[in-house]
Amino acid sequence: MQRRAGAVASAVVCLFLASCQLTGDSANVGTIAPGTLRPNLAADIGAREHPRVVATYGGVYNDPNAERAVASVVGRLVAASDDPSQSYRITILNSPAINAFALPGGYLYVTRGLLALANDTSEVAAVLAHEMAHVTANHAIERQQRAEARELADRIITNVVQDSEKARQAIISSKLSFARFSQVQELEADVVGVRTLAKAGYDPYAAARFLRSMASYAQFQSAQDNAASAPDFLSSHPSTPERLSLATKSARQFGAPGIGERDRERYLSRINGMLFGDDPLEGFVRGRSFLHKALGIAFTMPSGYVLENSPEAVLASNGAGTAMRFDGADLSRYDNLADYMNAGWINGLLPQSVRTTTINGMPAVVGAAITQGWSFRIAVVRIGRTGYRFIFASRGPNDAFEAQFRQTIDSFRQLTPTERARLRSLRIKVVTTQAGDTPEKVARGMGGIEPSRRLEFFLILNDLERGQAIPPGTAVKLVVD
């Protein structure tokens, strides 16, 4: 938890990653290389940045079955790609996020969260084909060069243009140009990926199918039934509807739906038992609660908040303008909690707001801050040499904001030995449906999800429509502990 307070991603990694956020270490695992990596600049960059990427995403995920699920498609995709001589190193990252990306030199990454969401081999192949397209087109190098040019241009504008408003508009225009450059790369990789997918004999519609699943999962995570449909033009990725349309159009060039291999049964058998959600070392999110077995702590967010457990911190938001961050800090140098609160790590701290208190028998300090139009409520709870920090932020603080802050910090407690012993990781469990099974009935077996959301999550996880019947003998995924 103390590592969360200071963990940040390398700026160099951010420049070089041909990132495909799909919503949105040099360990030898998940490696597939038809030949030796060629000794060129791209390979040097990939080799240098690989350990940083792995560290940023929670390390390498070691699971022989999951590795086989990925390895089984690579040879076919390489043979069907635009550059069959290119070698690749595939790494499965120990992250619950739905993500895949590429580094120069053939370094490809998929998260275990992405593998858990996929329902067949063709969907994983679609992701890998897209990332291979980034490599063969040298997108990461081109993006890094364009980023350097934009940074230089912005610096010149700031230094030379006297009119601050004109300078601001010029910089915004530069950012929009770079964003669209990145979007064009993503769309290009989508087209090339579908072509490679079809040429390798896989279902070319898998790309569109998986994009749809990712969009549904992202909406589920945001807990917003009416999420804004307007695209974010500053995003480095095109809106999902645009990508869906292009992926479907590209697939139609090879035939009607139903062509190509999907390999569903074998794929599901290979991810059966795979870790789902948070790694035990990072703690667990269970509904609106966060629990950490090793540290023996827990807290619960008020109704309406959605929790996200990242390597840097536990984050939460309520969709109404309030956000929360929880992390840890070393308090070895501070005997007095008020001294720590006033140590300068909070911008805009209101000194008169700082007061010491206790929370469930543990020493604590609370305070408030105002800076750059944001209001903050801060609490630090001490256990031994560690301070557990809650930071609430809102642009429009009101009584509800105060109440939610108090409710959250008052819920912070130490787990009992029995609770710690019973806390287990979530896993993917593949079951076969029986006669009379319905989505509602099967979804009751889901764990780690609020009962009211289990059916929706089950449908998304298995790419099923609401009201769709499940034939007996169908393999489906559950999440269980």
Side-chain angles (χ1 to χ4, degrees):
M1 181 60 69
Q2 293 177 14
R3 177 170 56 83
R4 294 177 184 273
V8 293
S10 164
V12 178
V13 170
C14 293
L15 278 176
F16 280 114
L17 285 177
S19 176
C20 297
Q21 184 69 40
L22 297 173
T23 340
D25 299 14
S26 51
N28 295 317
V29 62
T31 301
I32 303 95
T36 304
L37 287 175
R38 293 173 294 185
N40 56 23
L41 174 61
D44 290 343
I45 293 171
R48 184 180 69 242
E49 300 304 328
H50 173 74
R52 304 184 196 183
V53 171
V54 171
T56 299
Y57 280 84
V60 172
Y61 180 62
N62 296 286
D63 184 323
N65 285 329
E67 290 165 21
R68 279 191 284 269
V70 174
S72 66
V73 305
V74 174
R76 285 167 61 173
L77 291 177
V78 171
S81 70
D82 288 351
D83 183 4
S85 68
Q86 172 67 55
S87 300
Y88 293 95
R89 173 171 179 160
I90 318 295
T91 301
I92 302 174
L93 297 170
N94 187 24
S95 170
I98 313 299
N99 205 356
F101 46 83
L103 280 175
Y107 285 74
L108 306 185
Y109 304 87
V110 294
T111 61
R112 59 175 171 78
L114 185 147
L115 297 180
L117 184 61
N119 278 287
D120 58 50
T121 299
S122 69
E123 293 182 357
V124 175
V127 172
L128 291 175
H130 175 100
E131 299 309 327
M132 287 178 177
H134 277 309
V135 173
T136 57
N138 290 317
H139 281 168
I141 295 292
E142 292 177 4
R143 191 173 300 187
Q144 188 262 347
Q145 291 170 341
R146 180 66 69 93
E148 288 179 347
R150 182 179 67 82
E151 183 181 0
L152 177 60
D154 290 349
R155 188 160 59 245
I156 292 172
I157 290 169
T158 303
N159 293 338
V160 174
V161 177
Q162 297 299 318
D163 189 326
S164 60
E165 179 58 25
K166 285 185 178 180
R168 189 181 72 85
Q169 292 297 330
I171 290 173
I172 290 175
S173 176
S174 174
K175 288 181 178 179
L176 286 169
S177 174
F178 178 71
R180 187 55 195 165
F181 172 74
S182 298
Q183 292 171 357
V184 169
Q185 286 187 335
E186 292 302 322
L187 293 174
E188 179 185 344
D190 282 341
V191 172
V192 174
V194 171
R195 185 175 71 234
T196 303
L197 196 63
K199 187 177 177 182
Y202 291 108
D203 176 10
Y205 290 87
R209 193 165 61 246
F210 196 54
L211 282 169
R212 185 178 64 245
S213 292
M214 290 185 291
S216 298
Y217 186 70
Q219 188 175 29
F220 176 83
Q221 283 188 308
S222 70
Q224 295 175 359
D225 295 332
N226 298 308
S229 58
D232 177 5
F233 290 105
L234 287 177
S235 170
S236 64
H237 301 87
S239 64
T240 299
E242 184 180 4
R243 297 186 68 185
L244 262 171
S245 176
L246 181 62
T248 303
K249 181 180 178 181
S250 298
R252 285 176 182 154
Q253 297 179 14
F254 302 96
I259 64 172
E261 181 182 335
R262 294 183 63 170
D263 192 32
R264 187 172 185 275
E265 298 290 334
R266 182 165 56 173
Y267 178 76
L268 292 182
S269 71
R270 283 174 167 165
I271 65 168
N272 185 33
M274 188 173 69
L275 182 66
F276 184 87
D278 302 316
D279 186 283
L281 295 176
E282 301 291 351
F284 300 102
V285 170
R286 295 289 188 269
R288 290 183 287 108
S289 296
F290 174 76
L291 309 97
H292 202 296
K293 183 173 184 175
L295 298 176
I297 59 171
F299 66 87
T300 301
M301 298 299 299
S303 178
Y305 279 81
V306 177
L307 276 169
E308 176 187 353
N309 188 16
S310 75
E312 294 81 25
V314 181
L315 308 174
S317 61
N318 65 356
T322 298
M324 188 280 305
R325 176 187 175 97
F326 172 80
D327 63 16
D330 184 3
L331 301 185
S332 299
R333 295 186 294 123
Y334 297 92
D335 294 326
N336 187 299
L337 281 175
D339 290 343
Y340 174 70
M341 186 72 91
N342 286 288
W345 59 278
I346 305 171
N347 291 327
L349 179 68
L350 303 175
Q352 67 275 17
S353 71
V354 177
R355 62 181 183 85
T356 56
T357 183
T358 58
I359 294 176
N360 291 322
M362 296 170 283
V365 62
V366 297
I370 299 176
T371 182
Q372 297 182 353
W374 286 88
S375 292
F376 298 89
R377 298 295 180 271
I378 306 105
V380 182
V381 185
R382 183 169 199 151
I383 301 178
R385 295 185 299 174
T386 301
Y388 295 100
R389 309 188 300 190
F390 292 88
I391 303 174
F392 271 68
S394 175
R395 284 196 179 276
N398 51 26
D399 291 343
F401 176 62
E402 291 284 352
Q404 291 162 6
F405 169 68
R406 290 300 323 180
Q407 182 179 341
T408 302
I409 64 174
D410 286 345
S411 73
F412 183 79
R413 62 188 180 87
Q414 292 182 282
L415 296 173
T416 67
T418 301
E419 288 176 317
R420 295 173 74 168
R422 290 178 177 174
L423 193 57
R424 298 177 182 176
S425 304
L426 294 178
R427 300 272 173 181
I428 290 288
K429 181 180 181 181
V430 178
V431 300
T432 302
T433 58
Q434 307 297 317
D437 278 347
T438 63
E440 291 80 4
K441 181 179 179 181
V442 180
R444 294 189 196 114
M446 300 279 276
I449 305 295
E450 292 183 63
S452 63
R453 306 187 78 199
R454 285 178 183 170
L455 174 59
E456 182 185 3
F457 185 51
F458 172 79
L459 295 175
I460 293 170
L461 192 63
N462 291 282
D463 192 25
L464 297 172
E465 299 290 337
R466 188 172 291 275
Q468 179 180 344
I470 309 178
T474 302
V476 294
K477 294 178 288 185
L478 297 177
V479 172
V480 300
D481 57 15

